Amino acid sequence: MRFRVDLAASVPKDCAYPDLNEDAWAHNDEFTCIALSDGASESFDSKTWAQLLVKRYASNHAMTPDWVGEALSEYSSAFNFEDLTWSGQRAFDRGSFATLLGLVIGHNETDLEVLCVGDSLALLVRDGRVISSFPFDVPEQFDARPTLLSTKGHSNSLWVNSEFFQGASRTWKVEAGDVIYAVTDAVGHWILSQLTENKSISDRLLKVRSEAEFTDLVQSMRPGREIRLDDSTVLRLIVEDD
């Protein structure tokens, strides 16, 4: 089994400044591993942190304390602390933060391992119906402050705890033809708020076939506050036989 990327689209919080979009995603060469990250806006440089996390996860999804430590070292090496302004040094010391959503098709080709740190969302759709979502089931769950991966090592102590890891992961049974949505929080909140009684995805999203169409959809909903004003990313992944 592998993923086929049917749609990959991202709309920045401010469309006038697309370079400030702090969402990132990556995949491995076999398309059996997908990673999505949403950098927290109040961070020093969450865009770099999010990009680093998805690239590392796509190349090695074995999350361990060493994995996190190596990611922290790689992030720190991207900056010369002494060259930063005083305010930049203060911001760097406060850290950068990001979510991490990982999807890995197991070697048995029926298990999909879902990892989520933070408030990005994965949904499993079969025959047009959402049969599972993780880590949230209802839109109100997005109101809680999420646990995020931080560039400050002490802030990740909970994450490297094995019990937290178990709570942050799920195993879904998948089959060819299943559709997986991986989305950042603004899109996830909107999707869950729009689910019909039979758990169908909104027709407005189903009709989207390109990034331009997704941009039009998001921008049409922002004035009426149908969707939260934030970087908005959607991946629509089709599970296929090799």
Side-chain angles (χ1 to χ4, degrees):
M1 294 282 194
R2 65 192 297 273
F3 295 114
R4 174 171 59 83
V5 180
D6 185 61
L7 174 68
S10 189
V11 183
K13 182 178 180 178
D14 187 342
C15 290
Y17 301 97
D19 290 345
L20 298 183
N21 189 336
E22 295 162 325
D23 292 351
W25 75 283
H27 59 82
N28 63 357
D29 292 340
E30 298 78 18
F31 281 89
T32 56
C33 178
I34 302 282
L36 173 67
S37 180
D38 177 359
S41 298
E42 66 272 15
S43 301
F44 167 72
D45 186 355
S46 63
K47 179 178 180 177
T48 296
W49 183 227
Q51 291 173 339
L52 185 155
L53 288 173
V54 296
K55 289 177 182 177
R56 287 188 61 85
Y57 192 87
S59 63
N60 175 18
H61 59 266
M63 297 290 290
T64 64
D66 287 343
W67 189 101
V68 176
E70 290 168 3
L72 297 179
S73 296
E74 184 177 345
Y75 177 84
S76 295
S77 67
F79 303 92
N80 186 331
F81 185 80
E82 299 302 323
D83 287 344
L84 299 175
T85 63
W86 177 82
S87 59
Q89 291 177 348
R90 291 284 301 272
F92 183 88
D93 285 339
R94 288 193 295 271
S96 296
F97 301 84
T99 70
L100 180 61
L101 174 63
L103 305 169
V104 180
I105 295 177
H107 293 299
N108 64 4
E109 299 198 343
T110 61
D111 288 349
L112 174 62
E113 302 296 337
V114 184
L115 167 76
C116 188
V117 182
D119 55 4
S120 295
L121 183 74
L123 303 104
L124 171 59
V125 180
R126 181 173 298 153
D127 298 326
R129 296 179 60 251
V130 176
I131 62 173
S132 190
S133 62
F134 184 71
F136 301 144
D137 302 305
V138 294
E140 291 76 15
Q141 290 174 286
F142 283 95
D143 295 333
R145 188 174 182 84
T147 298
L148 303 174
L149 277 168
S150 170
T151 57
K152 309 308 292 182
H154 61 82
S155 298
N156 296 318
S157 57
L158 180 64
W159 159 237
V160 297
N161 181 289
S162 60
E163 292 182 0
F164 178 78
F165 177 81
Q166 292 173 0
S169 60
R170 292 289 185 276
T171 301
W172 290 343
K173 294 294 183 182
V174 294
E175 54 191 52
D178 284 349
V179 181
I180 309 295
Y181 282 89
V183 299
T184 50
D185 61 312
V187 184
H189 178 271
W190 174 74
I191 288 177
L192 291 184
S193 68
Q194 296 295 309
L195 284 184
T196 63
E197 290 185 6
N198 67 347
K199 297 293 185 179
S200 295
I201 295 285
S202 169
D203 284 342
R204 288 188 287 176
L205 183 55
L206 292 176
K207 293 176 181 178
V208 169
R209 308 308 306 173
S210 67
E211 185 164 59
E213 291 179 359
F214 183 66
T215 299
D216 289 343
L217 173 62
V218 170
Q219 290 185 318
S220 72
M221 295 190 294
R222 283 177 172 174
R225 298 184 179 180
E226 289 183 76
I227 190 169
R228 294 177 174 179
L229 182 58
D230 198 0
D231 297 332
S232 301
T233 298
V234 58
L235 304 177
R236 184 194 293 141
L237 311 168
I238 313 298
V239 179
E240 293 184 332
D241 290 320
D242 290 329

